[in-house]
Amino acid sequence: MFDPDDLAAIREAREEWEAETRGPTVDRFGEREETFETDTDGQEVDPVYTPADVADLDYDEELGFPGEEPYTRGVYSTMYRGRLWTMRQYAGMGTAAETNERFHYLLGEGQTGLSMAFDLPTQMGYDSDAGMAAGEVGKAGVAIDSLRDMETVFEGIPLDDVSTSMTINAPASVLLAMYIAVGDQQGVPRAELRGTIQNDVLKEYIARNTYIYPPEPSMRIITDIFEYCADEVPNFNTISISGYHVREAGSTAAQEIAFTLADGIAYVEAAREAGLDVDEFAPQLSFFFASYNNILEEVAKFRAARRLWAKIMDERFGAENPAAKQLKFHTQTAGSTLTAQQIENNVVRVAYQALAAVLGGTQSLHTNGKDEALSLPTEQSVRTALRTQQILAHESGVADTADPLGGSYYVESLTDDLEREAREIIAEVDDRGGMERAIESGWVQRQIQDVAYERQEEIDRGERVIVGVNEYTVEEDAQDADIEEVSEEQEQAQIEQLDAVREERDDEAVDAALAALREAAAADENLMPYIVDAVKAYATTGEICDAMRDVFGEHQPGAAM
């Protein structure tokens, strides 16, 4: 706390500065805007911040030190002085063999973690030869039809040497089972497997729509994964509660915090109802945020989210294990900010967004390729994106001290504002019966859609400048861009490989494994051991998901949750 006399003197000096120094200058020359606001939340930004703006800040209660509650300044005491964030470039290149080649390339270029993108059929639990998969095989990422594909992806990559993140939700249990099976084949102890599955189904009902089952069985599968991994793969993060897609759908920074943490609350409540101990499973929870262009707002967002989650775990759930209160998160630079016009500008955008993530204390980071507004990134653009992180780590100096913007009057004020606004949104979610009910009613989706519409209107009116799009445009020569494409021949080759797997496997073993899975789904058993058995018998992704569809059904848009 600041001395009241000092604060009074600062406030008096501020008024004097406004009247005698700033006021006459503004009267004579004006300012660029009538008012200045934060990028997404529309909070007015003052011309200068002083100790008076953080007069109520209690250092011990609200900031503390890195590695200590409330973790505002970071979850680890040494932060990047101990080890740098994991540089985890997102990659999935049509076929398993191409993805394996890209992974080897990235590891050779100094990447320190792997991140898998899956094609839409895999994300929806379909095999590549399914009618619903036609024209989409390998387009948005790698096609994984069976354990054979996963074996190919990780050929020559020891799983005890890498950490792997998998952006997969509804079929997350199946892809995790395949990863465990590859680890078993390699002789890696399960306790040494490291990585993350996204596994955040609530966000799918809000923003992305790649769900399979209705919410209740989806939540059951998630809690089964929590329980299984706590025993079998304790160093694997069982969920990455994703604000990234909420933000990409159009939310404000405060909404990104609030809806992400509200999803987290729903998962913790579901796990507790299933009889799990919060101090045992919560350390395996992780989060996933976007990083946008307004650097200081983003830094404050990350700090506010970290502090608020620690308070939630303490106040709501009585967590005692410090690791259960630590919000550890992955960050991806904002794909929706990338432009097809003047794509070289995207390199700059990504660099600033990466800087914000590191200043905010991220545990891992993906930097987008400059050409991702057009296609899957080329090898050259992926290298530039990775070099962006490496330059930030080794040349910028921002990794040399923890929370370097801590104590900034503006950043601390903005951190408080964002936490307060996020708390108010979470309180409204609670009043509406919790996150599942708020999603079911469409309230969450409407909040995001309203902001997205308003922002687009601002862009269309020219009030929000997008460099190279609605301002500072140039005439660009039409030319063939160097982009990655997946051909019909590659799709057919994937289907032929799937046929070969079905020819070679033991059909009786597959049928028995799928029957056992259906039986377990209809009962109250943990599904993960049965899914692992089915995967090892080379049952396909679609067959395993269909076995659970037979019992759980499929979620229909607009249906009650």
Side-chain angles (χ1 to χ4, degrees):
M1 297 287 287
F2 295 94
D3 183 275
D5 291 338
D6 289 343
L7 289 172
I10 290 169
R11 291 190 180 102
E12 184 178 339
R14 163 72 184 269
E15 291 175 4
E16 184 177 313
W17 171 78
E18 284 277 6
E20 298 181 7
T21 303
R22 179 175 178 271
T25 302
V26 172
D27 290 342
R28 183 177 180 187
F29 299 108
E31 292 186 323
R32 290 185 294 111
E33 303 287 346
E34 187 81 20
T35 60
F36 291 80
E37 297 179 345
T38 55
D39 192 46
T40 63
D41 287 275
Q43 296 182 27
E44 187 167 346
V45 179
D46 291 342
V48 71
Y49 286 77
T50 73
D53 292 289
V54 290
D56 297 329
L57 184 69
D58 185 316
Y59 186 90
D60 290 337
E61 291 293 321
E62 300 300 317
L63 292 180
F65 293 93
E68 294 182 357
E69 290 188 48
Y71 305 109
T72 310
R73 307 202 68 187
V75 292
Y76 300 118
S77 61
T78 56
M79 287 306 289
Y80 307 134
R81 290 168 68 99
R83 57 174 290 186
L84 294 169
W85 63 93
T86 302
M87 300 179 193
R88 193 188 298 282
Q89 292 301 113
Y90 192 45
M93 300 302 298
T95 68
E98 289 173 301
T99 300
N100 175 260
E101 182 179 344
R102 176 62 62 87
F103 279 174
H104 278 285
Y105 171 77
L106 288 169
L107 291 170
E109 291 293 324
Q111 178 168 306
T112 54
L114 300 175
S115 183
M116 288 184 71
F118 299 91
D119 69 359
L120 281 174
T122 303
Q123 293 183 52
M124 298 293 291
Y126 294 115
D127 291 331
S128 294
D129 60 354
M132 292 287 288
E136 290 294 339
V137 175
K139 289 289 178 69
V142 62
I144 300 291
D145 289 318
S146 74
L147 179 57
R148 184 69 47 79
D149 291 318
M150 196 67 100
E151 292 165 350
T152 301
V153 166
F154 291 101
E155 186 174 345
I157 301 174
L159 297 193
D160 52 353
D161 284 349
V162 298
S163 168
T164 304
S165 173
M166 293 183 279
T167 305
I168 194 73
N169 293 285
S173 57
V174 181
L175 278 299
L176 173 62
M178 290 182 183
Y179 194 80
I180 291 169
V182 172
D184 288 348
Q185 289 177 356
Q186 292 186 1
V188 177
R190 290 183 176 181
E192 293 184 18
L193 294 176
R194 294 175 296 115
T196 303
I197 46 172
Q198 192 162 104
N199 197 26
D200 179 4
V201 175
L202 288 178
K203 165 264 300 168
E204 295 300 319
Y205 302 118
I206 298 171
R208 289 190 72 243
N209 300 323
T210 60
Y211 43 69
I212 299 176
Y213 318 108
E216 186 174 344
S218 293
M219 294 294 276
R220 173 195 166 178
I221 295 169
I222 288 169
T223 56
D224 281 356
I225 291 170
F226 288 173
E227 182 180 41
Y228 180 83
C229 289
D231 293 334
E232 293 289 325
V233 281
N235 288 313
F236 215 91
N237 295 314
T238 52
I239 194 167
S240 180
I241 304 164
S242 177
Y244 181 86
H245 300 99
V246 171
R247 188 67 174 278
E248 289 283 85
S251 80
T252 67
Q255 286 175 335
E256 182 185 1
I257 297 170
F259 293 143
T260 305
L261 300 195
D263 280 347
I265 290 167
Y267 293 128
V268 173
E269 288 174 342
R272 287 190 16 154
E273 287 171 9
L276 304 185
D277 186 330
V278 67
D279 285 319
E280 293 182 4
F281 74 81
Q284 289 182 282
L285 305 179
S286 66
F287 292 80
F288 175 25
F289 291 109
S291 190
Y292 273 62
N293 291 330
N294 190 312
I295 294 173
L296 299 179
E297 182 179 35
E298 294 303 290
V299 172
K301 177 190 77 179
F302 297 131
R303 299 171 86 247
R306 203 160 38 230
R307 183 164 74 200
L308 183 52
W309 183 247
K311 293 177 181 178
I312 287 169
M313 293 304 290
D314 184 52
E315 295 165 2
R316 289 196 183 219
F317 301 112
E320 296 180 359
N321 182 355
K325 305 179 190 182
Q326 294 170 345
L327 185 147
K328 299 171 185 173
F329 65 98
H330 170 71
T331 308
Q332 181 173 340
T333 57
S336 65
T337 67
L338 304 181
T339 64
Q341 301 92 331
Q342 299 180 40
I343 63 170
E344 67 276 6
N345 293 343
N346 295 331
V347 176
V348 182
R349 292 186 177 100
V350 167
Y352 290 149
Q353 293 163 8
L355 174 62
V358 171
L359 290 172
T362 192
Q363 275 60 69
S364 63
L365 177 61
H366 163 79
T367 36
N368 289 327
K370 67 177 183 180
D371 47 5
E372 290 189 44
L374 300 173
S375 70
L376 292 171
T378 64
E379 197 169 272
Q380 184 274 333
S381 66
V382 164
R383 184 173 65 246
T384 299
L386 179 58
R387 293 289 183 261
T388 299
Q389 295 200 48
Q390 292 164 337
I391 291 168
L392 193 57
H394 300 291
E395 299 184 25
S396 73
V398 296
D400 295 347
T401 189
D403 190 30
L405 295 184
S408 157
Y409 305 132
Y410 176 45
V411 170
E412 297 298 355
S413 177
L414 191 50
T415 299
D416 289 347
D417 289 343
L418 286 169
E419 181 189 355
R420 181 170 53 252
E421 188 174 347
R423 270 191 178 274
E424 290 170 358
I425 296 169
I426 291 172
E428 184 158 3
V429 170
D430 289 340
D431 290 343
R432 292 174 177 275
M435 196 58 172
E436 291 179 65
R437 299 285 79 81
I439 295 169
E440 177 186 349
S441 70
W443 178 80
V444 174
Q445 297 91 316
R446 287 194 299 275
Q447 302 309 298
I448 298 169
Q449 290 161 5
D450 288 348
V451 175
Y453 179 80
E454 183 180 331
R455 295 294 175 263
Q456 187 58 52
E457 288 280 287
E458 291 171 356
I459 293 169
D460 292 344
R461 293 194 299 264
E463 296 169 3
R464 181 175 290 260
V465 173
I466 308 298
V467 173
V469 176
N470 64 355
E471 196 68 74
Y472 311 111
T473 59
V474 297
E475 290 293 330
E476 295 184 273
D477 294 332
Q479 57 184 356
D480 293 331
D482 180 17
I483 62 175
E484 296 279 356
E485 293 184 304
V486 178
S487 67
E488 292 182 12
E489 289 76 14
Q490 287 170 301
E491 180 172 341
Q492 186 57 40
Q494 179 67 24
I495 293 171
E496 289 172 1
Q497 179 171 293
L498 174 59
D499 290 340
V501 169
R502 290 192 177 121
E503 285 290 324
E504 296 166 7
R505 69 188 186 182
D506 182 339
D507 287 340
E508 289 186 6
V510 171
D511 291 343
L514 293 175
L517 175 58
R518 288 189 191 92
E519 208 171 302
D524 193 27
E525 296 183 67
N526 190 302
L527 298 178
M528 281 303 299
Y530 297 94
I531 295 172
V532 172
D533 288 344
V535 159
K536 288 187 172 184
Y538 289 88
T540 68
T541 299
E543 290 166 344
I544 295 170
C545 291
D546 283 347
M548 291 188 279
R549 281 185 178 99
D550 292 343
V551 178
F552 300 142
E554 288 187 310
H555 178 66
Q556 301 301 320
M561 292 182 62

